[in-house]
Amino acid sequence: MAQYQIAVVVGSLRKDSFNKKLAGALEKLFPADFSFIHVRIDDLPLYNQDDDGSPSAQVTRLKAEIAAAQGVLFFTPEYNRSIPGVLKNAIDHASRPYGKSSWNSKPAGVIGASVGPIGTAMAQQHLRNILAYLNMPTLGQPEAFIHNKEGLYDAAGNIGEASLKFLQGWVDAYVAWVKQHA
């Protein structure tokens, strides 16, 4: 059976991040042939093109983790109707120097959770625009704008009954997407 390693990029640094919690709960819904590496982005320097020729150890690690993955899952919060700066910084680092992007052709999934009823719809759309430029085939449907509210998780931190069918469907669609594009 083929093994698929998925790089998980959470765009929030907050200790109790809704998106980090969602990532952990969704991983439990994937089949056994999928494994996950949580890509660290909190220690990256700010992107500066002058550093392209001699990237920091943190940037080298980021690029290697993305390059080794068969797909990428982005969990993004929404800050001021867009993606967080820390996520954009990580995307910029792994895409440079020009022609040496670690993102190229990696099948992507985009999801996010927020306290608002429209979830992270605007941030996801902005992220999709960036991923299109980076030549990442990105799962279009189903979209998943997760309202982080009571009942999203059960007492054990798993996806709750009310959202389980929908989110299992989203995971199943992403699994098929990775298998089609990896």
Side-chain angles (χ1 to χ4, degrees), residues 18-169:
F18 298 139
N19 288 283
K20 190 183 323 176
K21 184 174 183 178
L22 179 62
L26 274 191
E27 287 174 19
K28 298 173 189 174
L29 302 180
F30 277 81
D33 57 339
F34 277 69
S35 62
F36 304 90
I37 180 164
H38 286 254
V39 176
R40 185 173 178 192
I41 64 172
D42 67 331
D43 63 344
L44 298 172
L46 291 175
Y47 176 73
N48 181 337
Q49 189 175 7
D50 292 341
D51 299 330
D52 280 358
S54 58
S56 69
Q58 296 91 332
V59 171
T60 300
R61 178 201 67 227
L62 169 73
K63 288 183 66 80
E65 289 174 346
I66 299 301
Q70 285 72 52
V72 183
L73 277 175
F74 292 94
F75 290 83
T76 186
E78 186 167 299
Y79 294 176
N80 301 314
R81 297 288 188 244
S82 191
I83 64 173
V86 68
L87 178 55
K88 182 63 166 72
N89 187 55
I91 291 169
D92 290 346
H93 271 298
S95 72
R96 304 296 296 179
Y98 183 79
K100 296 187 179 177
S101 175
S102 295
W103 306 112
N104 189 45
S105 299
K106 301 289 180 180
V110 176
I111 193 167
S114 171
V115 295
I118 62 167
T120 60
M122 291 293 293
Q124 287 188 42
Q125 187 56 50
H126 287 184
L127 182 54
R128 288 172 187 281
N129 290 341
I130 295 165
L131 301 182
Y133 175 77
L134 295 174
N135 195 36
M136 295 184 78
T138 304
L139 178 67
Q141 295 294 326
E143 294 177 307
F145 311 127
I146 308 303
H147 185 188
N148 194 71
K149 63 180 183 176
E150 186 69 34
L152 178 58
Y153 305 101
D154 65 17
N158 300 310
I159 299 298
E161 189 64 34
S163 299
L164 184 57
K165 182 178 178 184
F166 172 75
L167 287 172
Q168 185 64 66

